Amino acid sequence: MRDLQRTVGLLILGTAAAGAALLWASLSWTTGLPGGRPSRAVVGVWDVFYDTAAPSALMIGLAAGFALVFAAGVAVLEKRVSTRDRRSADRLNRPLAPKIVMAETRGVRAGPVTLTVLIPAHNEEGCIVHTLTSLREQSRRPERIIVVADNCTDGTADIARTLGVEVFETVGNVSKKAGALNQVLYGLLPIQGDNDLVMVMDADTVLDQGFLESAVRMMSDDRALMAIGGLFRGEEGHGLLGQFQRNEYTRYARDLRRRRGRVFVLTGTATVFRPRALRWVAEERDSTIPGVPGDVYDTQVLTEDNEITLALKTLGALVISPPDCTVVTELMPTWRALWKQRLRWQRGALENLGSYGFRPQTLRYWAQQLGIGYGVIALSTYLTLMVVMAVSFDSWVWFPFWAGIGALFTLERLVSVWEGGWRARLLAILLFPELFYAMFLDVIYVKGVLDIWTGRRAAWGHTVQPRRIGTKVLT
C-alpha cells in the first residue's frame, strides 16, 4: 500500500516535470519562428529574452485545441463510466448500481421515511448548539439526533444532553472521526430499513432551511439514489482570510451546479445516506474496495468523506449534490489552521487515489490532480515572469495580447463569485490577492505530494473552534 501511495507522488511529480519541459520546448520553438529576434534585458547576472509580439495563430490554436480535447476527453470518459454504472447488472462488482437496486426494491414496502442524524464531535462545545439549532429549525425535523462524543474533554456531551438529544460516547477510539462513526454505526445499521435514512454532519455545520425536506423528498422519489451531499458555503467573519475561503467555496458550489449535481466528494459537512449503501460498503471492505471488513469508514485515511465517495462510486452507487441542499460551514480562522486543514485534505486525496489505483471511477480524480499539478506550474511561471519583467525593464512595457488574456481571466474570477456579494466581487476583481492565495494553496499541494512521495507520516490537525456568543436556546 505504501509503495502504491509513493507511486502516486512520483507520478504527479513526473507529470509536473513533463509539463515544465513542454512549456520550455514551446518557448524555444516560438522564438525560432519568423517574426524577428526576441528582445533582451539584463537582470543581475541573468540575460532575459522576451518577445513583444503575440504568439502566432498556430500556437494559440494548438494550445486551445489541446485544452479542449483534454477537457472533452475527461468529460466523455466520466459520462461513459457513469452511464455504464447506471445500467450495470453486475451484482458481484456493482451491487449498488441503480438497475440492480430498482429491481430488488420493486414492489417492496419499506415503510415511512425516517431520518437519523449522526454528529461526530471532538471538543465542539463552542459550536454544537448552533448545529443542533439548525436541525431543530428544519421544516422536516429528524426523528433522532445522536451526538457522537469522541474523547471529549470539554462540555460537548453535557450540552447535547441538556438540549435533549441522544449522546453516544466512544470507547477506546484511536481512529478519529472514522472510528467514532464506525462505533455508532455498528449498532445502528442492523436495525435500519431502506427508508430509514442516516445523515452524517460535522459539529461545526449549520443546515440551511429546507435541506432535510429536500433530501428526504429526493430519496423518497428515487429508490436508486444512495447518497445526497450538501453544497457548502463559508460562514461570515475572519477578515480577508475568511473572504478567500468563501470565494473558493462559492466557485466550488457553482461548479457542482453546472455539473447538475454530479458530485466530486460527499462532503463531511452534511451527507444523507441510505442504509443499504453503508451496509454494502462495510461488506465489500478488503474485497472490491480497500479497508477492514465490517467498517463503514476506512480508519486508515485522512479524508474519510472523499474515501467513502470513491467506495460508493466503485460499487456503482448513484450519488448527487443538489443545489437546494446547502449548508454553512466554519472557516479556518488562521493561516496556520488553514495550512493544516488543506494539507490533510490534499494528502488524504492522494492517499485515497493510491489505495484505489487506476479504475474507471477514479479517472476524474486522477485528471483533477494532474490538472492541479499543471496549474501549479502555470501560475508559478506566470508570477515569476511578472516579477522578472518588472525588475528588468527601465519602463513599463504593455503586451496587448497578454493584457487581454489577463482581462478575460479577471472577468472569469469576477463572474464565478458574483453571487457571493460585493466583498467577493471586489476581492476577485483585484486579482492579485487571490493569485497569492492560490499560490499558498499550491505550496500546500507541493508539500502534500512531496510528503506522500517520501513516506512522511501524516498528521490530523484538528482545530477547536472558539465558543460562539449569543447562542439561541433550542425549543
Side-chain angles (χ1 to χ4, degrees):
M1 180 69 70
R2 184 174 293 275
D3 289 341
L4 183 57
Q5 290 176 351
R6 288 186 176 184
T7 301
V8 175
L10 183 61
L11 176 63
I12 298 296
L13 288 174
T15 303
L22 181 61
L23 283 174
W24 180 262
S26 299
L27 290 172
S28 301
W29 179 43
T30 54
T31 55
L33 292 176
R37 296 171 59 87
S39 302
R40 176 185 179 188
V42 178
V43 183
V45 297
W46 299 95
D47 285 342
V48 179
F49 291 90
Y50 62 94
D51 195 344
T52 57
S56 67
L58 174 62
M59 197 62 184
I60 296 173
L62 287 174
F66 176 79
L68 289 173
V69 168
F70 180 79
V74 171
V76 168
L77 286 174
E78 183 184 32
K79 181 66 174 178
R80 292 193 63 180
V81 170
S82 176
T83 301
R84 188 196 65 178
D85 286 346
R86 284 173 180 265
R87 299 173 179 174
S88 176
D90 183 2
R91 283 182 168 81
L92 181 62
N93 296 306
R94 303 284 185 275
L96 295 176
K99 185 176 181 179
I100 296 173
V101 172
M102 293 296 286
E104 292 179 350
T105 58
R106 186 173 293 115
V108 177
R109 172 63 180 170
V113 174
T114 68
L115 179 61
T116 298
V117 179
L118 305 180
I119 307 174
H122 173 68
N123 292 344
E124 302 286 3
E125 66 176 14
C127 54
I128 191 66
V129 176
H130 275 264
T131 300
L132 295 175
T133 300
S134 76
L135 285 169
R136 290 285 182 84
E137 291 182 343
Q138 290 288 299
S139 55
R140 200 287 185 195
R141 290 190 176 189
E143 278 68 25
R144 295 179 69 186
I145 301 174
I146 305 174
V147 173
V148 186
D150 180 38
N151 299 317
C152 292
T153 58
D154 66 355
T156 299
D158 292 336
I159 292 172
R161 290 191 182 96
T162 300
L163 297 173
V165 302
E166 299 178 52
V167 175
F168 178 94
E169 297 192 62
T170 60
V171 178
N173 177 45
V174 295
S175 299
K176 307 296 182 182
K177 178 180 175 181
L181 286 170
N182 283 340
Q183 284 194 15
V184 69
L185 287 169
Y186 289 152
L188 180 64
L189 285 182
I191 62 174
Q192 297 280 295
D194 266 356
N195 279 352
D196 298 321
L197 307 178
V198 176
M199 183 169 85
V200 177
M201 67 178 294
D202 286 344
D204 58 3
T205 295
V206 174
L207 299 183
D208 284 337
Q209 189 56 249
F211 183 109
L212 296 184
E213 183 177 0
S214 295
V216 169
R217 183 186 69 252
M218 284 183 280
M219 285 290 202
S220 301
D221 292 344
D222 189 348
R223 303 194 312 274
L225 188 56
M226 292 292 108
I228 295 176
L231 293 181
F232 52 90
R233 67 180 190 277
E235 64 176 350
E236 293 300 318
H238 304 302
L240 180 61
L241 179 59
Q243 192 60 58
F244 280 137
Q245 295 172 77
R246 283 190 291 275
N247 279 16
E248 182 184 6
Y249 292 166
T250 298
R251 291 189 177 100
Y252 177 76
R254 182 174 182 268
D255 288 343
L256 282 186
R257 286 194 295 270
R258 294 174 67 187
R259 287 169 53 84
R260 298 182 180 179
R262 294 196 302 274
V263 63
F264 288 119
V265 178
L266 290 167
T267 171
T269 55
T271 294
V272 179
F273 297 97
R274 205 178 288 277
R276 171 191 292 262
L278 299 180
R279 283 195 288 264
W280 269 110
V281 168
E283 184 172 333
E284 291 297 315
R285 291 287 183 198
D286 200 32
S287 177
T288 309
I289 56 178
V292 177
D295 283 355
V296 174
Y297 285 91
D298 190 345
T299 59
Q300 300 302 309
V301 302
L302 290 171
T303 48
E304 73 290 325
D305 50 357
N306 184 71
E307 193 280 334
I308 202 168
T309 305
L310 291 177
L312 289 171
K313 286 188 172 184
T314 299
L315 298 178
L318 175 61
V319 297
I320 63 172
S321 285
D324 47 354
C325 289
T326 57
V327 305
V328 178
T329 189
E330 293 207 348
L331 303 176
M332 292 299 100
T334 65
W335 289 98
R336 181 180 180 85
L338 182 64
W339 174 277
K340 290 181 179 180
Q341 180 198 59
R342 298 311 174 85
L343 185 58
R344 178 170 64 87
W345 288 2
Q346 183 58 52
R347 176 73 181 268
L350 291 173
E351 289 183 350
N352 293 158
L353 286 178
S355 298
Y356 279 80
F358 295 97
R359 309 183 186 208
Q361 293 79 13
T362 62
L363 286 175
R364 159 67 70 170
Y365 298 87
W366 281 105
Q368 184 182 41
Q369 290 298 321
L370 296 178
I372 294 173
Y374 184 79
V376 171
I377 297 172
L379 181 58
S380 58
T381 301
Y382 172 76
L383 292 178
T384 300
L385 291 178
M386 288 284 289
V387 172
V388 169
M389 185 184 74
V391 301
S392 62
F393 293 168
D394 294 330
S395 59
W396 187 263
V397 178
W398 285 100
F399 298 91
F401 174 80
W402 294 112
I405 294 295
L408 287 175
F409 181 73
T410 303
L411 181 62
E412 185 278 331
R413 303 295 289 180
L414 176 63
V415 171
S416 60
V417 299
W418 191 263
E419 65 186 43
W422 70 268
R423 290 186 180 88
R425 300 166 196 166
L426 177 61
L427 186 59
I429 204 168
L430 293 176
L431 185 60
F432 284 99
E434 283 202 314
L435 287 182
F436 287 112
Y437 176 72
M439 281 299 299
F440 176 79
L441 299 182
D442 287 348
V443 172
I444 295 174
Y445 173 84
V446 173
K447 178 70 162 57
V449 172
L450 291 176
D451 282 354
I452 197 172
W453 182 41
T454 58
R456 181 172 296 180
R457 187 177 181 83
W460 183 261
H462 174 71
T463 299
V464 177
Q465 298 292 344
R467 180 182 291 274
R468 298 189 183 188
I469 306 300
T471 300
K472 181 169 60 175
V473 178
L474 288 170
T475 57

